[in-house]
Amino acid sequence: GAGVSQSPSNKVTEKGKDVELRCDPISGHTALYWYRQSLGQGLEFLIYFQGNSAPDKSGLPSDRFSAERTGGSVSTLTIQRTQQEDSAVYLCASSFPLVGTYEQYFGPGTRLTVT
Amino acid sequence: DAKTTQPTSMDCAEGRAANLPCNHSTISGNEYVYWYRQIHSQGPQYIIHGLKNNETNEMASLIITEDRKSSTLILPHATLRDTAVYYCIAAYWGKLQFGAGTQVVVTP
């Protein structure tokens, strides 16, 4: 079956512009996660959704970052007024319910470059 | 979530077993041990997880010590395609905290 998909695969934007990153989870997966991986670094947890609700937003780096999920499916991560330090690969993952032993399936990521 | 400690890197000969250690001495009773790997330029891939008992699937085996303070991931017959960064994570729920992992290089 189809895996997690993300779009765009690559995004180059100028400093100060807003960007939207999209994630399509595996059908039926109720939990959705966003991570960030800067060059040569490990993965940094950003936010998770259970259904359309995001109970914990503390991982978002700043108030320029926001995310939403609609219909319990597609999620969008928005970065406003992008900065060069936002350059990274943004990864989305989905799983069955949040709590428990369900493995996360990751998408291929969106590589964001802020010039 | 408990912090995990892994070696920075290790080499393994193709066809041999790769044994990847992980320390998680502060793991709590309800936290599972998860292993993921990340092949260059791809998203992480789930390998295996366990709570107390040893586990085996088509990819690997997971050996967890009786005190649960450490574990070993075993790739029984490493191939060149197993070259990746391997992450050991202790977590109860989905907020996975990835550390630096172990860079495994499988050589011919």
Side-chain angles (χ1 to χ4, degrees):
Chain A
V4 177
S5 61
Q6 294 185 245
S7 61
S9 55
N10 281 285
K11 176 71 175 179
V12 180
T13 189
E14 293 180 354
K15 178 181 173 181
K17 295 287 181 67
D18 298 351
V19 294
E20 284 189 354
L21 312 180
R22 176 187 169 108
C23 172
D24 283 88
I26 293 173
S27 177
H29 280 189
T30 56
L32 186 147
Y33 318 82
W34 284 97
Y35 296 85
R36 177 171 75 170
Q37 188 168 33
S38 301
L39 185 63
Q41 303 295 313
L43 279 82
E44 174 188 6
F45 176 86
L46 298 178
I47 190 171
Y48 76 88
F49 289 87
Q50 180 58 42
N52 292 332
S53 173
D56 182 359
K57 302 179 181 179
S58 61
L60 295 176
S62 74
D63 59 7
R64 296 186 294 104
F65 287 71
S66 63
E68 66 174 13
R69 189 180 186 194
T70 55
S73 180
V74 173
S75 176
T76 302
L77 178 69
T78 301
I79 309 173
Q80 296 179 310
R81 306 180 302 283
T82 53
Q83 303 295 312
Q84 289 186 329
E85 61 262 29
D86 299 335
S87 295
V89 176
Y90 289 81
L91 290 153
C92 174
S94 71
S95 74
F96 285 112
L98 188 67
V99 176
T101 65
Y102 301 102
E103 59 265 35
Q104 295 183 24
Y105 293 84
F106 283 79
T110 292
R111 181 175 298 278
L112 175 66
T113 302
V114 182
T115 61
Chain B
D1 294 341
K3 178 179 170 58
T4 61
T5 304
Q6 301 176 249
T8 302
S9 64
M10 64 182 297
D11 294 338
C12 178
E14 187 178 19
R16 304 294 291 269
N19 296 291
L20 283 64
C22 179
N23 288 323
H24 31 79
S25 58
T26 61
I27 194 169
S28 61
N30 62 356
E31 287 182 317
Y32 288 77
V33 178
Y34 291 87
W35 283 85
Y36 283 76
R37 73 180 183 183
Q38 189 173 25
I39 296 170
H40 183 61
S41 298
Q42 298 182 20
Q45 176 189 24
Y46 166 84
I47 301 172
I48 198 167
H49 73 275
L51 184 63
K52 290 188 285 189
N53 299 323
N54 298 337
E55 302 288 344
T56 295
N57 63 19
E58 65 278 5
M59 289 183 69
S61 295
L62 175 60
I63 309 297
I64 302 174
T65 58
E66 191 169 345
D67 63 9
R68 301 211 324 124
K69 292 185 177 182
S70 65
S71 61
T72 301
L73 178 74
I74 301 172
L75 307 177
H77 304 287
T79 70
L80 299 179
R81 287 175 295 183
D82 291 324
T83 292
V85 178
Y86 286 76
Y87 298 98
C88 169
I89 302 164
Y92 171 59
W93 59 282
K95 184 179 177 180
L96 301 180
Q97 302 286 9
F98 287 79
T102 297
Q103 172 67 63
V104 173
V105 176
V106 180
T107 56

